[in-house]
Amino acid sequence: MKNELLKVVKIGGKLIENETKFSAFLEDFVALEGPKILVHGGGNLATEIAGKLGYKTQMFEGRRITDADSIKVITMVYGGFINKNIVAKLQALQNNAIGLSGADGMSITSKKRPVKEVDFGFVGDVEKVNSKFIDSLLKQDITLVFSAISCTKEGVLLNTNGDSVAAEIAKAMSSIYETELYLCFEKKGVLADTKNEDSVIEEINREKYRELLEGKIINDGMLPKLHNSFHALGNGVKNIFLGDFRLLKKESVYTKITN
Amino acid sequence: MKNELLKVVKIGGKLIENETKFSAFLEDFVALEGPKILVHGGGNLATEIAGKLGYKTQMFEGRRITDADSIKVITMVYGGFINKNIVAKLQALQNNAIGLSGADGMSITSKKRPVKEVDFGFVGDVEKVNSKFIDSLLKQDITLVFSAISCTKEGVLLNTNGDSVAAEIAKAMSSIYETELYLCFEKKGVLADTKNEDSVIEEINREKYRELLEGKIINDGMLPKLHNSFHALGNGVKNIFLGDFRLLKKESVYTKITN
């Protein structure tokens, strides 16, 4: 019996860093009715803290390598500072919430990404979402707030892509709830022209997606979001929306993903 | 019906920093049967990180003032890094666990300590423990791991004494469970002579406590532990033990608090 609608919302790091936008987002989030889950990124604070602590950020072809120092900072900043502050802010808005990493209640189990040409370090891909445990909290009217940190079966904490975490949670929970996925980031939606903020494509179905891929219309940052979206859509998630910090209100333009 | 025995265990920051002792402690902790809750301190890592970040530690008569920078670091280090790493270590030992601050599920609500001669900043005294929420997790065979951070009703995170947090949790849970409190720290127990590590007082009842206070036998660091212990004992907690990292095994000497 899937009678209730669960909303899984991902909020990007750049939006969290913008105090005005983040406050507006949280107000809209609190106003959502029914069970809900928030997954947050971390933005630049981890890089800033790592720099101050004298840790060097290692990159490979523009992608960050999560070494032992990096996962330490990520656990501090995303798993601690940002996560607990979001929970406290929700409590202040009378929205009972709990902050979790994937290690907590083994809610998100992952596997370390296999080493190919380069070892990206403590980076994981989601293997299993503990839907039963998550549901036990939702049933108590508690909003779950996840930092994008997962955990191997052997108890190793791994940095994990926030969009993937949100998509995997939505996918897993769709066995219990009608599930919607909202990916909120710094753009109004998927843009047809990255130089034009108003070129939002309002609907993308699989055929359109193929066209966009073939025409190389979509920029690199957007590709994983769309990949995750169609993966979720093909695995039980009912509706998927991409947009900015006001996406939850659905008053302005956004992108809807359809079959 | 109070048929089950709940163990609430506090582990001090100095023990967490000692890798060998902390591993031995965790093994003993995992071996405990029945429901259990761990409360951890933080040790010197927060001070170390604060120093590296260029935050100044303000003190008043030997006591730390928790300013805005300090609570930020405490939330990172205690609420994030240490808390999530303990949870991950417990998962590695096949002990399902969840890491919480007082903000999570409003599990530990506190009040900011009133400003008298000096403002100690973001420091709180426990007002209410959400025993119903805590019990809902224990009933799922999940071990709770608390960092000593509480939260006001208005959503302000506050640094809180770890021994008090443990004692207040034990006190509140004693309405549902037979409850035992274990305070593990760097000594074998309460010492009659602080210069002699083997001068452990094996039992302290209220009368003995009064004697010790009057004779000024107990050093300043131990006073809050004993105060918390007798407060807990007078409020439903069945047994209270103080000792070192091997206290849970009860194989060597320790201090027992009795009426």
Side-chain angles (χ1 to χ4, degrees), chain A residues 14-41:
Chain A
K14 283 185 190 160
L15 288 184
I16 294 176
E17 281 169 347
N18 183 316
E19 218 169 293
T20 318
K21 289 183 178 176
F22 188 48
S23 289
F25 165 84
L26 277 186
E27 268 176 39
D28 295 350
F29 180 75
V30 166
L32 290 178
E33 278 179 31
K36 56 198 180 223
I37 295 172
L38 183 62
V39 179
H40 64 86

Side-chain angles (χ1 to χ4, degrees), chain A residues 84 91 97 99 103-105 136 140, chain B residues 84 91 97 99 103-105 136 140:
Chain A
K84 297 308 161 197
Q91 298 293 8
D104 299 299
S136 76
Q140 292 185 64
Chain B
K84 297 309 158 195
Q91 299 292 10
D104 298 299
S136 77
Q140 293 186 62

Side-chain angles (χ1 to χ4, degrees), chain A residues 204-212 230 258-259:
Chain A
I204 303 178
N205 59 20
R206 290 191 184 274
E207 200 188 320
K208 178 85 181 167
Y209 180 40
R210 212 172 304 121
E211 274 174 42
L212 291 169
F230 280 102
T258 56
N259 257 312

Side-chain angles (χ1 to χ4, degrees), chain A residues 95-107:
Chain A
N95 187 131
N96 194 12
I98 186 169
L100 301 169
S101 75
D104 299 299
M106 269 310 204
S107 47

Side-chain angles (χ1 to χ4, degrees), chain B residues 133-182:
Chain B
F133 170 63
I134 290 173
D135 191 38
S136 77
L137 294 167
L138 293 173
K139 286 270 189 301
Q140 293 186 62
D141 285 327
I142 299 173
T143 296
L144 283 73
V145 181
F146 278 99
S147 64
I149 297 170
S150 59
C151 188
T152 70
K153 276 178 204 149
E154 295 77 28
V156 180
L157 298 170
L158 297 175
N159 189 15
T160 309
N161 177 280
D163 294 323
S164 305
V165 168
E168 291 291 336
I169 291 174
K171 199 178 111 180
M173 298 313 293
S174 69
S175 64
I176 307 173
Y177 295 86
E178 293 276 12
T179 305
E180 286 185 343
L181 175 64
Y182 295 78

Side-chain angles (χ1 to χ4, degrees), chain B residues 64-77:
Chain B
R64 177 201 301 263
I65 293 173
T66 309
D67 61 8
D69 285 336
S70 302
I71 189 69
K72 187 174 170 178
V73 173
I74 284 166
T75 310
M76 282 187 196
V77 175

Side-chain angles (χ1 to χ4, degrees), chain A residues 45 49 52-53 55 72 75-77 79-81 83-85 87-89 91-92 94 96-101 103-106 132-133 136-137 140 142 151 153-157, chain B residues 45 49 52-53 55 72 75-77 79-81 83-85 87-89 91-92 94 96-101 103-106 132-133 136-137 140 142 151 153-157:
Chain A
L45 187 60
I49 298 278
K52 284 187 183 168
L53 294 176
Y55 299 158
K72 187 174 170 180
T75 310
M76 282 187 198
V77 176
F81 181 68
N83 190 265
K84 297 308 161 197
N85 272 285
V87 169
K89 281 192 167 112
Q91 298 293 8
Q94 312 297 322
N96 194 12
I98 186 169
L100 301 169
S101 75
D104 299 299
M106 269 310 204
K132 196 182 149 198
F133 171 63
S136 76
L137 293 167
Q140 292 185 64
I142 299 174
C151 187
K153 275 179 208 149
E154 295 77 28
V156 180
L157 297 170
Chain B
L45 187 59
I49 298 277
K52 284 187 183 169
L53 294 176
Y55 300 156
K72 187 174 170 178
T75 310
M76 282 187 196
V77 175
F81 181 68
N83 189 266
K84 297 309 158 195
N85 273 286
V87 170
K89 280 191 168 114
Q91 299 292 10
Q94 312 298 322
N96 194 12
I98 186 169
L100 302 170
S101 75
D104 298 299
M106 271 308 204
K132 196 183 148 195
F133 170 63
S136 77
L137 294 167
Q140 293 186 62
I142 299 173
C151 188
K153 276 178 204 149
E154 295 77 28
V156 180
L157 298 170

